[in-house]
Amino acid sequence: MSALNTLSNGQKAQLRNAFTLIDGESRDSSITKADLISLYKTLELKVPDDDSLKEMLTIDGEYKETGVNFTQFSNIMAKELQKYDDRMTIYNALKVFLIDSHNHELVIDVEVLKEACCSVQLGELGSGDNRLSRQAFDQLVEGFVKEQIDGTKLFTASKWLDAYID
């Protein structure tokens, strides 16, 4: 399914408005480097360097020197919104195991999370034992677990999300 198909009509309308604003005075139906520079200046923000501006106008590894049209812009934004939704889904699932939340940092007892993650059957029923192994789980959380004085091991899930989920 195309990322664009995941957007509501309201979101599509907001993207159209955003595109029109960024296109600016040129009204040439494409967002160019000049449009981006003008936008940053209008918002009184520091204009990114040339490489960063070119990166904003790069799609699938190809720099769009003549600009990005509305369809391309919409697809880029839909993919970015989809990443946000995926991240929020994982964040909300991890909140079920929450021990402590300070400044949106999720802290979870790693053994409780491991038990839950490694006991769930993945895949179709009858397709064999497809549970996540404890060894694979340990590798997935490596570097994000800290042992407390009492021996409890805590998983800093919010830092893990930042590292692995764009």
Side-chain angles (χ1 to χ4, degrees):
M1 172 172 40
S2 166
L4 202 50
N5 293 336
T6 65
L7 298 177
S8 69
N9 288 335
Q11 288 173 314
K12 289 176 185 175
Q14 288 176 331
L15 286 178
R16 171 56 77 186
N17 292 338
F19 181 86
T20 301
L21 285 170
I22 298 168
D23 188 21
E25 294 176 12
S26 68
R27 300 280 187 248
D28 60 359
S29 298
S30 67
I31 296 173
T32 62
K33 192 162 44 166
D35 291 328
L36 292 173
I37 291 169
S38 177
L39 175 68
Y40 276 89
K41 287 180 178 179
T42 299
L43 296 173
E44 298 180 359
L45 297 171
K46 181 180 180 272
V47 176
D49 62 34
D50 195 57
D51 287 341
S52 296
L53 290 169
K54 284 181 178 178
E55 186 178 330
M56 291 179 206
L57 299 171
T58 298
I59 300 173
D60 296 327
E62 181 184 340
Y63 170 57
K64 303 293 184 182
E65 191 170 351
T66 59
V68 173
N69 65 34
F70 178 68
T71 302
Q72 293 166 326
F73 173 78
S74 296
N75 278 314
I76 291 166
M77 296 307 294
K79 287 176 186 172
E80 290 302 313
L81 289 169
Q82 198 171 22
K83 287 179 188 176
Y84 176 77
D85 288 344
D86 291 347
R87 181 184 174 91
M88 287 308 297
T89 299
I90 295 168
Y91 179 86
N92 288 331
L94 288 170
K95 277 178 35 177
V96 170
F97 300 97
L98 182 68
I99 288 178
D100 187 26
S101 177
H102 185 277
N103 295 332
H104 298 289
E105 185 168 304
L106 294 175
V107 178
I108 298 169
D109 182 323
V110 76
E111 294 303 322
V112 172
L113 182 62
K114 183 190 296 188
E115 185 59 35
C117 290
C118 297
S119 64
V120 174
Q121 176 68 26
L122 305 172
E124 304 268 334
L125 286 176
S127 64
D129 188 2
N130 294 312
R131 288 180 274 196
L132 179 66
S133 74
R134 293 180 179 284
Q135 181 180 8
F137 177 88
D138 290 339
Q139 289 174 343
L140 288 170
V141 300
E142 187 175 349
F144 300 94
V145 177
K146 293 184 180 178
E147 190 166 352
Q148 303 300 296
I149 293 173
D150 66 358
T152 304
K153 293 180 182 176
L154 300 180
F155 172 56
T156 51
S158 49
K159 289 181 182 177
W160 180 84
L161 278 168
D162 290 342
Y164 290 109
I165 309 297
D166 289 335

